[in-house]
PDB file of all heavy atoms in Angstrom:
ATOM      1  N   SER A 744       0.885   1.427  11.471  1.00 92.00           N
ATOM      2  CA  SER A 744       2.178   1.319  12.195  1.00 92.00           C
ATOM      3  C   SER A 744       2.165   1.978  13.414  1.00 92.00           C
ATOM      4  O   SER A 744       2.723   1.512  14.456  1.00 92.00           O
ATOM      5  CB  SER A 744       3.271   1.743  11.233  1.00 92.00           C
ATOM      6  OG  SER A 744       3.280   0.930  10.119  1.00 92.00           O
ATOM      7  N   PHE A 745       1.650   3.224  13.469  1.00 93.00           N
ATOM      8  CA  PHE A 745       1.680   4.035  14.644  1.00 93.00           C
ATOM      9  C   PHE A 745       0.874   3.330  15.770  1.00 93.00           C
ATOM     10  O   PHE A 745       1.386   3.188  16.866  1.00 93.00           O
ATOM     11  CB  PHE A 745       1.059   5.398  14.415  1.00 93.00           C
ATOM     12  CG  PHE A 745       1.056   6.334  15.528  1.00 93.00           C
ATOM     13  CD1 PHE A 745       2.126   7.020  15.952  1.00 93.00           C
ATOM     14  CD2 PHE A 745      -0.099   6.472  16.341  1.00 93.00           C
ATOM     15  CE1 PHE A 745       2.141   7.866  17.144  1.00 93.00           C
ATOM     16  CE2 PHE A 745      -0.235   7.233  17.379  1.00 93.00           C
ATOM     17  CZ  PHE A 745       0.926   8.002  17.844  1.00 93.00           C
ATOM     18  N   ILE A 746      -0.249   2.885  15.442  1.00 92.00           N
ATOM     19  CA  ILE A 746      -1.184   2.175  16.465  1.00 92.00           C
ATOM     20  C   ILE A 746      -0.389   0.897  16.962  1.00 92.00           C
ATOM     21  O   ILE A 746      -0.402   0.676  18.120  1.00 92.00           O
ATOM     22  CB  ILE A 746      -2.544   1.873  15.950  1.00 92.00           C
ATOM     23  CG1 ILE A 746      -3.270   3.280  15.629  1.00 92.00           C
ATOM     24  CG2 ILE A 746      -3.282   0.947  16.747  1.00 92.00           C
ATOM     25  CD1 ILE A 746      -4.618   3.195  14.784  1.00 92.00           C
ATOM     26  N   LYS A 747       0.116   0.175  15.931  1.00 90.00           N
ATOM     27  CA  LYS A 747       0.809  -1.082  16.361  1.00 90.00           C
ATOM     28  C   LYS A 747       1.937  -0.884  17.309  1.00 90.00           C
ATOM     29  O   LYS A 747       2.160  -1.609  18.322  1.00 90.00           O
ATOM     30  CB  LYS A 747       1.235  -1.811  15.159  1.00 90.00           C
ATOM     31  CG  LYS A 747       0.077  -2.523  14.410  1.00 90.00           C
ATOM     32  CD  LYS A 747       0.434  -3.048  13.031  1.00 90.00           C
ATOM     33  CE  LYS A 747       1.410  -4.310  13.186  1.00 90.00           C
ATOM     34  NZ  LYS A 747       1.692  -4.767  11.763  1.00 90.00           N
ATOM     35  N   ARG A 748       2.773   0.236  17.048  1.00 90.00           N
ATOM     36  CA  ARG A 748       3.832   0.521  18.088  1.00 90.00           C
ATOM     37  C   ARG A 748       3.209   0.873  19.384  1.00 90.00           C
ATOM     38  O   ARG A 748       3.842   0.588  20.420  1.00 90.00           O
ATOM     39  CB  ARG A 748       4.650   1.780  17.435  1.00 90.00           C
ATOM     40  CG  ARG A 748       5.415   1.554  16.144  1.00 90.00           C
ATOM     41  CD  ARG A 748       6.292   0.334  16.066  1.00 90.00           C
ATOM     42  NE  ARG A 748       5.604  -0.840  15.654  1.00 90.00           N
ATOM     43  CZ  ARG A 748       5.215  -1.236  14.554  1.00 90.00           C
ATOM     44  NH1 ARG A 748       5.478  -0.517  13.493  1.00 90.00           N
ATOM     45  NH2 ARG A 748       4.650  -2.406  14.288  1.00 90.00           N
ATOM     46  N   ARG A 749       2.203   1.665  19.398  1.00 90.00           N
ATOM     47  CA  ARG A 749       1.524   1.950  20.689  1.00 90.00           C
ATOM     48  C   ARG A 749       1.041   0.776  21.528  1.00 90.00           C
ATOM     49  O   ARG A 749       1.000   0.672  22.706  1.00 90.00           O
ATOM     50  CB  ARG A 749       0.328   2.866  20.517  1.00 90.00           C
ATOM     51  CG  ARG A 749       0.542   4.149  19.764  1.00 90.00           C
ATOM     52  CD  ARG A 749       1.258   5.293  20.385  1.00 90.00           C
ATOM     53  NE  ARG A 749       2.745   5.139  20.765  1.00 90.00           N
ATOM     54  CZ  ARG A 749       3.521   5.221  19.783  1.00 90.00           C
ATOM     55  NH1 ARG A 749       3.389   5.404  18.473  1.00 90.00           N
ATOM     56  NH2 ARG A 749       4.918   4.930  20.087  1.00 90.00           N
ATOM     57  N   LEU A 750       0.634  -0.234  20.770  1.00 88.00           N
ATOM     58  CA  LEU A 750       0.082  -1.533  21.394  1.00 88.00           C
ATOM     59  C   LEU A 750       1.261  -2.501  21.668  1.00 88.00           C
ATOM     60  O   LEU A 750       1.065  -3.628  22.145  1.00 88.00           O
ATOM     61  CB  LEU A 750      -0.911  -2.182  20.509  1.00 88.00           C
ATOM     62  CG  LEU A 750      -2.178  -1.421  20.326  1.00 88.00           C
ATOM     63  CD1 LEU A 750      -3.082  -2.019  19.324  1.00 88.00           C
ATOM     64  CD2 LEU A 750      -2.913  -1.221  21.597  1.00 88.00           C
ATOM     65  N   GLY A 751       2.555  -2.068  21.377  1.00 85.00           N
ATOM     66  CA  GLY A 751       3.687  -2.971  21.641  1.00 85.00           C
ATOM     67  C   GLY A 751       3.899  -4.102  20.634  1.00 85.00           C
ATOM     68  O   GLY A 751       4.675  -4.984  20.773  1.00 85.00           O
ATOM     69  N   ILE A 752       3.266  -3.979  19.393  1.00 82.00           N
ATOM     70  CA  ILE A 752       3.523  -4.939  18.370  1.00 82.00           C
ATOM     71  C   ILE A 752       4.846  -4.498  17.593  1.00 82.00           C
ATOM     72  O   ILE A 752       4.818  -3.305  17.085  1.00 82.00           O
ATOM     73  CB  ILE A 752       2.275  -5.113  17.468  1.00 82.00           C
ATOM     74  CG1 ILE A 752       1.152  -5.569  18.211  1.00 82.00           C
ATOM     75  CG2 ILE A 752       2.602  -6.020  16.276  1.00 82.00           C
ATOM     76  CD1 ILE A 752      -0.196  -5.494  17.438  1.00 82.00           C
TER      77      ILE A 752
END
Side-chain angles (χ1 to χ4, degrees):
S744 292
F745 179 81
I746 292 167
K747 286 170 65 177
R748 297 307 82 79
R749 304 287 70 72
L750 295 174
I752 301 171

